[in-house]
Amino acid sequence: MNSTEATRTNLLGMPRDKLAAFFVARGEKRFRADQLMKWLYHRGVSDLAQMTDLSSALREQLALDTEFRFPEITWNHVSTDGTRKWLIQVEGGGSVETVFIPEGKRGTLCVSSQVGCTLDCSFCSTGKQGFQRNLSAAEIIAQVWIAQAALAEASDSEARLTNVVFMGMGEPLLNLDAVLDAISIMTEDLGYGLSRRRVTVSTAGVVPGIERLGREADVSLAISLHAPFDELRNTLVPVNRKYPIAKLLEACRGYLGTTAARKSITIEYTLMAGVNDQPEHAVALAELLEGFPCKLNLIPFNPFPNSGYRRPSNVAVRAFQARLQRQGFIVTVRTTRGDDIDAACGQLVGDVHDRTRRSDRYIARVSAQDAAQISGTA
């Protein structure tokens, strides 16, 4: 990027209020923001020359010091089940992955919010890559743009983008400023116009972020729980040491109480064979969530190399589901999608220039395990 490009204002990812303030500061009317957003998000036009309801003088001025800066698509793959995955290179050299999952006329886009992740959940491939940086609102909303453009070209598919979930790379509540700006564009009528209930933020349990999200956005919330008691969750989801389960559920109750529109929270629970899928875990989970307004989404573990975990059998998954259903819970089992292109839950890795050196430690540990197995000592 040259110095001229670096000083340009990127209008992509700027929510309506900030875009209006930008135009007012230039002596223009606020409605210029509305006009530009319609071109950008409704029509998919990023060429100022085509935005003909803006005056030619204004377009010339904008061309001098603004831009719509998109990250580069390195590659995209399509699974045998129709799932799409894009590798997107962002500034600084890192990459993130974005996944679109079609289901008939419905389509869910799984977006990333960080390059890598700081939380290092033990069963997630992203966490093993370490962390590089937060994504900007522009880099988050560009993932929606990319998916919309691909769907517009795919005339053979009935699917359209109806839902967005922050379940890709990263912990969204540790990048909340950018996530909130992106949510604003996703749900704004002049943006992508998604129902707030169809935008879901998933968190491993960052309590202050849940509290702020409840104050500033009315969207669906999902909690990556994965264990019914603290001792086990401390191992699987290390942020639990700072925000244990009781404090997490208290924050969730507060989130539900901030608006009558929120009826329940989704509890995500990744099942790992012999780790958290036993009958006693189901019993403890039912006791923990008794009276808590939620629905449960069971996710059979999606393997990745040297994870140390195994996917449970279908029999074990259904037995776990049945035990919870008998206690009156709504329980779904997430269908694995896109695993042939490593697009399933927990498999996204991108390309992270690790600031934490976590990937080095992980590789060293795995190498030691492999050496021990070869020597017969493991």
Side-chain angles (χ1 to χ4, degrees), residues 110-186:
C110 180
V111 299
S112 295
S113 56
Q114 296 179 313
V115 187
C117 187
T118 63
L119 296 187
D120 196 21
C121 295
S122 64
F123 53 89
C124 179
S125 185
T126 302
K128 303 310 174 191
Q129 311 307 306
F131 174 75
Q132 182 173 334
R133 67 172 176 85
N134 289 328
L135 294 182
S136 67
E139 290 166 332
I140 296 172
I141 212 66
Q143 297 171 64
V144 184
W145 171 286
I146 288 166
Q148 287 283 61
L151 290 175
E153 293 177 0
S155 57
D156 59 331
S157 174
E158 292 185 341
R160 60 189 182 89
L161 199 159
T162 59
N163 297 64
V164 174
V165 294
F166 284 84
M167 296 181 184
M169 296 173 63
E171 166 54 60
L173 296 189
L174 293 179
N175 185 21
L176 201 42
D177 287 342
V179 165
L180 287 170
D181 279 354
I183 287 173
S184 176
I185 295 170
M186 292 173 189

Coordinates of all heavy atoms in Angstrom, one line a residue, residues 110-186:
C110 N -21.0 -17.8 8.1 CA -20.2 -17.8 9.3 C -19.0 -16.9 9.1 O -18.1 -17.2 8.3 CB -19.8 -19.3 9.6 SG -18.8 -19.5 11.0
V111 N -19.0 -15.8 9.8 CA -17.9 -14.8 9.6 C -16.9 -14.8 10.7 O -17.2 -15.2 11.8 CB -18.5 -13.4 9.5 CG1 -19.5 -13.3 8.3 CG2 -19.2 -12.9 10.8
S112 N -15.7 -14.4 10.4 CA -14.6 -14.3 11.3 C -14.5 -12.9 11.8 O -14.9 -11.9 11.1 CB -13.3 -14.7 10.7 OG -13.3 -16.1 10.3
S113 N -14.0 -12.7 13.1 CA -13.9 -11.4 13.7 C -12.4 -11.0 14.1 O -12.1 -9.9 14.4 CB -14.8 -11.3 14.9 OG -14.5 -12.3 15.8
Q114 N -11.6 -12.0 14.0 CA -10.2 -11.8 14.4 C -9.3 -12.7 13.5 O -9.8 -13.7 12.9 CB -9.9 -12.2 15.8 CG -10.6 -11.3 16.9 CD -10.3 -11.8 18.3 OE1 -10.3 -13.0 18.6 NE2 -9.9 -10.8 19.1
V115 N -8.1 -12.3 13.3 CA -7.1 -13.2 12.6 C -6.5 -14.0 13.7 O -5.6 -13.6 14.5 CB -6.0 -12.3 11.9 CG1 -5.1 -13.2 11.1 CG2 -6.6 -11.2 11.0
G116 N -6.9 -15.3 13.7 CA -6.6 -16.2 14.8 C -7.5 -15.9 16.0 O -8.6 -15.4 15.9
C117 N -7.0 -16.4 17.2 CA -7.8 -16.2 18.4 C -6.9 -16.3 19.6 O -5.9 -17.1 19.7 CB -8.9 -17.3 18.5 SG -10.0 -17.1 19.9
T118 N -7.2 -15.5 20.6 CA -6.4 -15.5 21.8 C -6.8 -16.5 22.9 O -6.1 -16.8 23.8 CB -6.5 -14.1 22.5 OG1 -7.8 -13.9 22.9 CG2 -6.0 -13.0 21.6
L119 N -8.0 -17.1 22.7 CA -8.6 -17.9 23.8 C -8.1 -19.3 23.9 O -8.2 -19.9 25.0 CB -10.1 -17.9 23.7 CG -10.7 -16.5 23.9 CD1 -12.3 -16.6 23.9 CD2 -10.2 -15.8 25.1
D120 N -7.6 -19.9 22.8 CA -6.9 -21.2 22.9 C -7.8 -22.3 23.5 O -7.4 -23.1 24.3 CB -5.6 -21.1 23.7 CG -4.7 -22.3 23.4 OD1 -4.9 -23.0 22.4 OD2 -3.8 -22.6 24.3
C121 N -9.1 -22.4 23.0 CA -9.9 -23.5 23.4 C -9.3 -24.8 22.9 O -8.8 -24.8 21.7 CB -11.3 -23.3 22.9 SG -12.2 -21.9 23.6
S122 N -9.2 -25.8 23.7 CA -8.3 -26.9 23.4 C -8.8 -27.8 22.2 O -8.0 -28.5 21.6 CB -8.2 -27.8 24.6 OG -9.5 -28.4 24.9
F123 N -10.1 -27.7 21.8 CA -10.6 -28.5 20.8 C -10.8 -27.7 19.5 O -11.5 -28.2 18.5 CB -12.0 -29.1 21.2 CG -12.9 -28.0 21.7 CD1 -13.8 -27.4 20.8 CD2 -12.9 -27.6 23.0 CE1 -14.6 -26.4 21.3 CE2 -13.8 -26.6 23.5 CZ -14.6 -26.0 22.6
C124 N -10.3 -26.5 19.4 CA -10.6 -25.6 18.2 C -9.3 -25.4 17.5 O -8.3 -25.0 18.0 CB -11.1 -24.3 18.7 SG -11.4 -23.1 17.3
S125 N -9.3 -25.7 16.2 CA -8.1 -25.6 15.4 C -7.6 -24.1 15.3 O -6.4 -23.8 15.2 CB -8.4 -26.1 14.0 OG -7.2 -26.1 13.2
T126 N -8.6 -23.2 15.2 CA -8.2 -21.7 15.1 C -7.3 -21.3 16.3 O -6.3 -20.6 16.1 CB -9.5 -20.9 15.2 OG1 -10.3 -21.2 14.1 CG2 -9.1 -19.4 15.0
G127 N -7.7 -21.8 17.5 CA -6.9 -21.4 18.7 C -5.4 -21.8 18.6 O -4.6 -21.2 19.2
K128 N -5.2 -23.0 17.9 CA -3.8 -23.5 17.9 C -2.9 -22.6 17.0 O -1.7 -22.8 17.0 CB -3.8 -24.9 17.3 CG -4.7 -25.9 18.1 CD -4.4 -25.8 19.6 CE -5.4 -26.7 20.4 NZ -5.3 -26.4 21.9
Q129 N -3.5 -21.7 16.2 CA -2.7 -20.9 15.3 C -2.2 -19.6 16.0 O -1.4 -18.9 15.4 CB -3.6 -20.5 14.1 CG -4.3 -21.6 13.4 CD -3.4 -22.7 13.0 OE1 -2.4 -22.5 12.3 NE2 -3.7 -23.9 13.4
G130 N -2.7 -19.4 17.2 CA -2.3 -18.1 17.9 C -3.2 -17.0 17.4 O -4.3 -17.1 16.9
F131 N -2.7 -15.8 17.6 CA -3.4 -14.5 17.4 C -2.6 -13.5 16.7 O -1.4 -13.3 17.0 CB -4.0 -14.0 18.7 CG -4.7 -12.7 18.5 CD1 -5.9 -12.6 18.0 CD2 -4.1 -11.5 19.0 CE1 -6.6 -11.3 17.9 CE2 -4.7 -10.3 18.9 CZ -6.0 -10.2 18.3
Q132 N -3.1 -12.8 15.7 CA -2.4 -11.8 15.0 C -3.0 -10.4 15.3 O -2.4 -9.5 15.9 CB -2.4 -12.0 13.5 CG -1.6 -10.9 12.8 CD -1.4 -11.2 11.3 OE1 -1.4 -12.3 10.9 NE2 -1.2 -10.1 10.5
R133 N -4.3 -10.2 15.0 CA -5.0 -8.9 15.3 C -6.5 -9.0 15.1 O -7.0 -10.0 14.6 CB -4.4 -7.8 14.3 CG -4.8 -8.0 12.9 CD -4.4 -6.8 12.1 NE -4.7 -6.9 10.6 CZ -5.8 -6.6 10.0 NH1 -6.9 -6.3 10.8 NH2 -5.9 -6.7 8.7
N134 N -7.2 -8.0 15.5 CA -8.6 -7.8 15.3 C -8.9 -7.5 13.9 O -8.0 -6.8 13.2 CB -9.2 -6.8 16.2 CG -9.3 -7.2 17.6 OD1 -9.4 -8.3 18.0 ND2 -9.1 -6.2 18.5
L135 N -10.0 -7.9 13.3 CA -10.4 -7.4 12.0 C -11.1 -6.0 12.2 O -11.8 -5.8 13.2 CB -11.4 -8.4 11.4 CG -10.8 -9.7 11.0 CD1 -11.9 -10.6 10.3 CD2 -9.6 -9.6 10.1
S136 N -11.1 -5.2 11.2 CA -11.8 -4.0 11.2 C -13.3 -4.3 10.8 O -13.6 -5.3 10.3 CB -11.2 -3.0 10.2 OG -11.4 -3.5 8.8
A137 N -14.2 -3.3 11.0 CA -15.6 -3.5 10.6 C -15.6 -3.7 9.1 O -16.4 -4.5 8.6 CB -16.4 -2.2 11.0
A138 N -14.8 -3.0 8.3 CA -14.7 -3.2 6.9 C -14.4 -4.6 6.5 O -14.9 -5.2 5.6 CB -13.7 -2.2 6.2
E139 N -13.4 -5.2 7.2 CA -13.0 -6.6 6.9 C -14.0 -7.6 7.3 O -14.1 -8.6 6.7 CB -11.7 -6.9 7.6 CG -10.5 -6.1 7.0 CD -9.2 -6.1 7.9 OE1 -9.4 -6.2 9.1 OE2 -8.1 -5.9 7.3
I140 N -14.8 -7.3 8.3 CA -15.9 -8.1 8.7 C -17.1 -8.0 7.6 O -17.6 -9.0 7.1 CB -16.5 -7.8 10.1 CG1 -15.4 -8.1 11.1 CG2 -17.7 -8.6 10.4 CD1 -15.7 -7.6 12.5
I141 N -17.5 -6.8 7.3 CA -18.6 -6.6 6.4 C -18.2 -7.1 5.0 O -19.1 -7.5 4.2 CB -19.1 -5.2 6.4 CG1 -20.6 -5.2 6.2 CG2 -18.4 -4.3 5.5 CD1 -21.5 -5.8 7.2
A142 N -16.9 -7.0 4.6 CA -16.5 -7.5 3.3 C -16.8 -9.0 3.2 O -17.0 -9.4 2.0 CB -15.0 -7.2 3.2
Q143 N -16.8 -9.7 4.2 CA -17.1 -11.2 4.1 C -18.6 -11.3 3.7 O -18.9 -12.3 2.9 CB -16.9 -11.8 5.5 CG -15.4 -11.8 5.9 CD -15.2 -12.3 7.4 OE1 -15.5 -13.4 7.7 NE2 -14.8 -11.4 8.2
V144 N -19.4 -10.5 4.1 CA -20.8 -10.5 3.7 C -20.9 -10.1 2.2 O -21.6 -10.7 1.4 CB -21.7 -9.6 4.5 CG1 -23.2 -9.7 4.1 CG2 -21.6 -9.9 6.0
W145 N -20.2 -9.1 1.9 CA -20.2 -8.6 0.5 C -19.7 -9.7 -0.5 O -20.3 -10.0 -1.5 CB -19.2 -7.4 0.4 CG -18.9 -7.0 -1.0 CD1 -18.1 -7.6 -2.0 CD2 -19.4 -5.8 -1.7 NE1 -18.0 -6.9 -3.1 CE2 -18.8 -5.8 -3.0 CE3 -20.2 -4.8 -1.3 CZ2 -19.1 -4.7 -3.9 CZ3 -20.5 -3.7 -2.2 CH2 -19.9 -3.7 -3.5
I146 N -18.6 -10.4 -0.1 CA -18.1 -11.5 -0.9 C -19.1 -12.6 -1.1 O -19.3 -13.1 -2.2 CB -16.8 -12.1 -0.3 CG1 -15.7 -11.0 -0.4 CG2 -16.4 -13.4 -0.8 CD1 -14.5 -11.3 0.4
A147 N -19.8 -13.0 0.0 CA -20.8 -14.1 -0.1 C -22.0 -13.6 -1.0 O -22.5 -14.4 -1.8 CB -21.3 -14.4 1.3
Q148 N -22.4 -12.4 -0.8 CA -23.6 -11.9 -1.6 C -23.2 -11.9 -3.1 O -24.0 -12.2 -4.0 CB -23.9 -10.5 -1.2 CG -24.7 -10.4 0.1 CD -26.1 -10.8 0.0 OE1 -26.5 -11.9 -0.4 NE2 -27.0 -9.9 0.4
A149 N -22.0 -11.5 -3.4 CA -21.6 -11.4 -4.8 C -21.5 -12.8 -5.4 O -21.9 -13.0 -6.5 CB -20.2 -10.7 -4.9
A150 N -21.0 -13.8 -4.6 CA -20.9 -15.2 -5.1 C -22.3 -15.7 -5.3 O -22.6 -16.4 -6.3 CB -20.2 -16.0 -4.1
L151 N -23.3 -15.4 -4.4 CA -24.6 -15.9 -4.6 C -25.3 -15.3 -5.8 O -26.1 -16.0 -6.5 CB -25.4 -15.6 -3.3 CG -25.1 -16.4 -2.1 CD1 -25.8 -16.0 -0.9 CD2 -25.3 -17.9 -2.3
A152 N -25.0 -14.1 -6.1 CA -25.6 -13.4 -7.2 C -25.2 -14.1 -8.5 O -25.9 -14.1 -9.5 CB -25.2 -11.9 -7.2
E153 N -23.9 -14.6 -8.5 CA -23.4 -15.2 -9.7 C -23.8 -16.7 -9.8 O -23.8 -17.2 -10.9 CB -21.9 -15.2 -9.7 CG -21.3 -13.7 -9.8 CD -19.8 -13.7 -9.7 OE1 -19.2 -14.8 -9.6 OE2 -19.2 -12.6 -9.8
A154 N -24.2 -17.3 -8.7 CA -24.5 -18.7 -8.7 C -26.0 -18.9 -9.0 O -26.8 -19.1 -8.1 CB -24.2 -19.3 -7.3
S155 N -26.3 -18.9 -10.3 CA -27.7 -19.0 -10.7 C -28.3 -20.3 -10.5 O -29.5 -20.5 -10.5 CB -27.8 -18.6 -12.2 OG -27.0 -19.5 -13.0
D156 N -27.4 -21.3 -10.2 CA -27.9 -22.7 -10.0 C -28.3 -23.0 -8.6 O -28.8 -24.1 -8.3 CB -26.8 -23.7 -10.4 CG -25.5 -23.5 -9.6 OD1 -25.3 -22.4 -9.2 OD2 -24.8 -24.5 -9.4
S157 N -28.2 -22.0 -7.7 CA -28.5 -22.2 -6.3 C -29.7 -21.3 -5.9 O -29.9 -20.2 -6.3 CB -27.3 -21.8 -5.4 OG -27.7 -21.8 -4.1
E158 N -30.6 -21.9 -5.1 CA -31.8 -21.2 -4.6 C -31.4 -20.4 -3.3 O -32.2 -19.6 -2.9 CB -32.9 -22.2 -4.3 CG -33.6 -22.8 -5.5 CD -34.8 -23.7 -5.1 OE1 -34.8 -24.1 -3.9 OE2 -35.6 -24.0 -6.0
A159 N -30.3 -20.8 -2.7 CA -30.0 -20.2 -1.4 C -29.7 -18.8 -1.5 O -29.1 -18.3 -2.5 CB -28.8 -21.0 -0.8
R160 N -30.1 -18.0 -0.5 CA -29.8 -16.6 -0.3 C -29.3 -16.4 1.1 O -29.6 -17.2 2.0 CB -31.0 -15.7 -0.7 CG -32.2 -15.9 0.2 CD -33.4 -15.1 -0.3 NE -34.5 -15.3 0.6 CZ -34.8 -14.5 1.6 NH1 -34.0 -13.5 1.9 NH2 -35.9 -14.7 2.3
L161 N -28.6 -15.3 1.3 CA -28.1 -15.1 2.6 C -29.2 -14.6 3.5 O -29.7 -13.5 3.3 CB -26.9 -14.0 2.5 CG -26.0 -14.0 3.7 CD1 -24.7 -13.3 3.3 CD2 -26.6 -13.2 4.9
T162 N -29.5 -15.4 4.5 CA -30.6 -15.0 5.4 C -30.1 -14.9 6.9 O -30.8 -14.3 7.7 CB -31.7 -16.1 5.4 OG1 -31.2 -17.4 5.8 CG2 -32.4 -16.2 4.0
N163 N -29.0 -15.5 7.2 CA -28.5 -15.5 8.6 C -27.0 -15.2 8.6 O -26.3 -15.6 7.7 CB -28.7 -16.8 9.3 CG -30.2 -17.1 9.4 OD1 -30.9 -17.3 8.4 ND2 -30.6 -17.2 10.7
V164 N -26.5 -14.5 9.6 CA -25.1 -14.3 9.8 C -24.8 -14.7 11.2 O -25.4 -14.4 12.2 CB -24.6 -12.9 9.6 CG1 -23.2 -12.7 9.9 CG2 -24.8 -12.5 8.1
V165 N -23.7 -15.6 11.4 CA -23.3 -16.0 12.7 C -21.8 -15.6 12.9 O -21.0 -15.9 12.0 CB -23.5 -17.5 12.9 CG1 -25.0 -17.8 12.9 CG2 -22.8 -18.3 11.9
F166 N -21.5 -15.0 14.0 CA -20.1 -14.7 14.4 C -19.6 -16.0 15.0 O -19.4 -16.0 16.2 CB -20.0 -13.5 15.3 CG -20.2 -12.2 14.6 CD1 -21.5 -11.7 14.3 CD2 -19.1 -11.4 14.1 CE1 -21.7 -10.5 13.7 CE2 -19.3 -10.2 13.5 CZ -20.6 -9.7 13.2
M167 N -19.3 -17.0 14.2 CA -18.8 -18.3 14.7 C -17.6 -18.7 13.9 O -17.2 -19.9 14.0 CB -19.9 -19.3 14.6 CG -21.1 -19.1 15.5 SD -22.3 -20.4 15.4 CE -23.6 -19.7 16.4
G168 N -17.0 -17.8 13.2 CA -15.7 -18.1 12.5 C -14.5 -17.9 13.3 O -14.6 -18.1 14.6
M169 N -13.4 -17.5 12.8 CA -12.2 -17.3 13.5 C -12.3 -16.2 14.5 O -12.8 -15.1 14.1 CB -11.0 -17.1 12.6 CG -10.8 -18.3 11.6 SD -9.5 -17.9 10.4 CE -8.1 -17.6 11.4
G170 N -11.9 -16.4 15.7 CA -11.8 -15.3 16.7 C -12.9 -15.3 17.7 O -13.9 -15.9 17.5
E171 N -12.7 -14.5 18.7 CA -13.7 -14.2 19.8 C -14.3 -12.9 19.5 O -13.7 -11.8 19.8 CB -13.1 -14.3 21.2 CG -13.9 -13.8 22.3 CD -15.3 -14.4 22.4 OE1 -15.4 -15.6 22.6 OE2 -16.3 -13.6 22.3
P172 N -15.5 -12.8 19.0 CA -16.1 -11.5 18.6 C -16.2 -10.5 19.8 O -16.1 -9.3 19.5 CB -17.5 -11.9 18.1 CG -17.8 -13.2 18.5 CD -16.5 -13.9 18.7
L173 N -16.4 -10.9 21.0 CA -16.6 -10.0 22.1 C -15.3 -9.4 22.6 O -15.3 -8.5 23.4 CB -17.3 -10.7 23.3 CG -18.8 -11.1 22.9 CD1 -19.5 -11.6 24.2 CD2 -19.6 -10.0 22.2
L174 N -14.2 -9.8 22.0 CA -12.9 -9.2 22.2 C -12.5 -8.2 21.1 O -11.4 -7.7 21.1 CB -11.8 -10.2 22.4 CG -11.9 -11.1 23.6 CD1 -10.7 -12.1 23.7 CD2 -11.9 -10.2 24.9
N175 N -13.5 -8.0 20.2 CA -13.3 -7.0 19.1 C -14.7 -6.4 18.9 O -15.2 -6.2 17.8 CB -12.9 -7.8 17.8 CG -12.6 -6.8 16.7 OD1 -12.4 -5.6 16.9 ND2 -12.7 -7.3 15.4
L176 N -15.2 -5.9 20.0 CA -16.7 -5.5 20.0 C -16.9 -4.2 19.2 O -18.0 -4.1 18.6 CB -17.2 -5.4 21.4 CG -18.7 -5.5 21.6 CD1 -19.3 -6.6 20.8 CD2 -19.0 -5.7 23.1
D177 N -16.0 -3.3 19.2 CA -16.3 -2.0 18.5 C -16.5 -2.3 17.0 O -17.5 -1.8 16.4 CB -15.1 -1.0 18.6 CG -15.0 -0.4 20.0 OD1 -16.0 -0.5 20.8 OD2 -13.9 0.1 20.4
A178 N -15.6 -3.1 16.4 CA -15.8 -3.4 15.0 C -17.0 -4.3 14.8 O -17.7 -4.2 13.8 CB -14.5 -4.1 14.5
V179 N -17.2 -5.3 15.7 CA -18.4 -6.2 15.5 C -19.7 -5.4 15.6 O -20.6 -5.6 14.8 CB -18.3 -7.3 16.6 CG1 -19.7 -8.0 16.7 CG2 -17.2 -8.2 16.3
L180 N -19.8 -4.4 16.5 CA -21.0 -3.6 16.6 C -21.2 -2.8 15.3 O -22.4 -2.7 14.9 CB -21.0 -2.7 17.8 CG -21.1 -3.4 19.2 CD1 -20.8 -2.5 20.3 CD2 -22.5 -4.0 19.3
D181 N -20.2 -2.2 14.8 CA -20.3 -1.5 13.5 C -20.8 -2.4 12.4 O -21.7 -2.0 11.6 CB -19.0 -0.8 13.1 CG -18.8 0.5 13.9 OD1 -19.7 0.9 14.6 OD2 -17.7 1.1 13.7
A182 N -20.2 -3.6 12.3 CA -20.6 -4.5 11.3 C -22.1 -5.0 11.5 O -22.8 -5.1 10.5 CB -19.7 -5.7 11.3
I183 N -22.5 -5.2 12.7 CA -23.8 -5.6 13.0 C -24.8 -4.5 12.5 O -25.9 -4.8 12.0 CB -24.0 -5.9 14.5 CG1 -23.4 -7.3 14.8 CG2 -25.5 -6.0 14.9 CD1 -23.4 -7.6 16.3
S184 N -24.4 -3.3 12.8 CA -25.3 -2.1 12.4 C -25.6 -2.2 10.9 O -26.7 -2.0 10.4 CB -24.6 -0.8 12.8 OG -25.4 0.3 12.3
I185 N -24.5 -2.5 10.1 CA -24.7 -2.5 8.6 C -25.5 -3.8 8.2 O -26.4 -3.7 7.3 CB -23.4 -2.5 7.9 CG1 -22.7 -1.2 8.2 CG2 -23.5 -2.8 6.4 CD1 -21.2 -1.1 7.7
M186 N -25.3 -4.9 8.9 CA -26.0 -6.1 8.6 C -27.5 -6.0 8.8 O -28.3 -6.5 8.0 CB -25.5 -7.3 9.4 CG -24.1 -7.7 9.1 SD -23.5 -8.9 10.4 CE -21.8 -9.1 9.9

